[in-house]
Amino acid sequence: MSVASPARIAAALTELWSPRVVAEVDDAYVKVARVHGTLAWHAHADEDELFYVLKGRLRIEMEARTVELGEGELFVVPKGVRHNPVADEECHLLLIERKSTRHTGDEVTDKTRSLAEQLRPLE
């Protein structure tokens, strides 16, 4: 067990759209990420995904609606819902996902990160 500062860890990341695991809670990972631009339209068939904005703003586009999140706000994308996270400016996120959640679901792009990449030790 150790104390972690998600905001400090996210700010220190050098790669965009490359979540890093900072903690585990039961069958879920707590991750942080620096993002800017667009990730990819994708869905997680069996897992919900929680987005919490540490810094900046995030837009989550979905087929039925779009939500805008500011600092200190969170939104849960329900399992099976196609979504596309977008940050017009740099944004720092905290994510909570089940350990079985694949980064971009069934979609594979140059931004897709494997679980091994997300579990790499932090510098």
Side-chain angles (χ1 to χ4, degrees):
M1 296 187 312
S2 62
V3 175
S5 171
R8 195 171 318 132
I9 295 168
L13 294 176
T14 58
E15 300 172 90
L16 297 174
W17 296 108
S18 186
R20 300 296 284 280
V21 174
V22 296
E24 296 180 44
V25 180
D26 294 324
D27 69 340
Y29 283 128
V30 178
K31 304 175 183 181
V32 295
R34 278 182 62 219
V35 301
H36 186 199
T38 301
L39 179 58
W41 279 96
H42 66 284
H44 307 284
D46 300 310
E47 302 98 357
D48 296 333
E49 184 175 23
L50 182 145
F51 290 83
Y52 177 83
V53 177
L54 297 165
K55 176 183 173 190
R57 298 193 60 76
L58 182 73
R59 183 172 66 252
I60 303 175
E61 299 172 339
M62 295 167 281
E63 292 169 339
R65 67 188 271 218
T66 296
V67 296
E68 298 265 352
L69 302 176
E71 288 182 25
E73 295 182 320
L74 68 80
F75 181 78
V76 175
V77 176
K79 63 183 132 203
V81 173
R82 285 183 48 77
H83 59 286
N84 180 34
V86 179
D88 293 326
E89 297 180 11
E90 185 173 306
C91 177
H92 300 175
L93 301 174
L94 181 138
L95 307 156
I96 300 177
E97 305 171 336
R98 286 186 25 206
K99 292 179 180 178
S100 58
T101 305
R102 294 198 324 250
H103 185 216
T104 53
D106 290 335
E107 302 298 321
V108 177
T109 73
D110 60 330
K111 295 178 184 170
T112 302
R113 297 295 177 259
S114 69
L115 184 55
E117 289 174 293
Q118 295 176 59
L119 285 164
R120 285 178 297 156
L122 297 162
E123 287 83 42

